[in-house]
Amino acid sequence: MLKGNKQAIYRAMKKSASMIEGSDDEQHTMLWDCCQEMKRTNPGSIVVMKTTPVGDGSGLLRFKRIYVCFEALKKGFSEYCRPVIGLDGCHLTGPRSGILLTAVGRDGNN
């Protein structure tokens, strides 16, 4: 009986999170608007989103990856940071698995 209660609680939590935050699919459709807004409000920034066709002939696209490089960060790195880049990555788990990669620079004044 306890196992059934845990499953009911999990379903209720998942449903309430979906009602508050929206589903993953709804969140991904907002990425197009987010990319356009980043380009509009940060002139010179690079924002590239890649998608792939779902493959069932529906014409839908599946999110694959996103690359964001803000102009202010690019300029600050090239003018004020040491020419060293550290890369870090981690594997994401859950319904949307993948890899998150980040690049980090070192301030010239430590």
Side-chain angles (χ1 to χ4, degrees), residues 2-4 7 16 20-21 30 36 40-41 52-53 59 61-62 69 72 76 78 85 89 91 96 103 105 108-110:
L2 184 60
K3 185 176 183 181
Q7 290 174 347
S16 63
I20 294 168
E21 299 171 0
M30 289 190 280
Q36 292 302 318
R40 185 185 71 77
T41 58
T52 57
L61 298 173
R62 178 173 289 141
C69 182
S78 64
I85 299 176
H91 292 273
R96 306 283 190 222
N109 294 327
N110 286 327

Side-chain angles (χ1 to χ4, degrees), residues 25-45:
D25 294 333
E26 291 170 349
Q27 294 282 329
H28 285 106
T29 59
M30 289 190 280
L31 277 175
W32 293 106
D33 295 335
C34 184
C35 289
Q36 292 302 318
E37 189 65 14
M38 282 190 281
K39 288 178 184 178
R40 185 185 71 77
T41 58
N42 299 287
S45 297

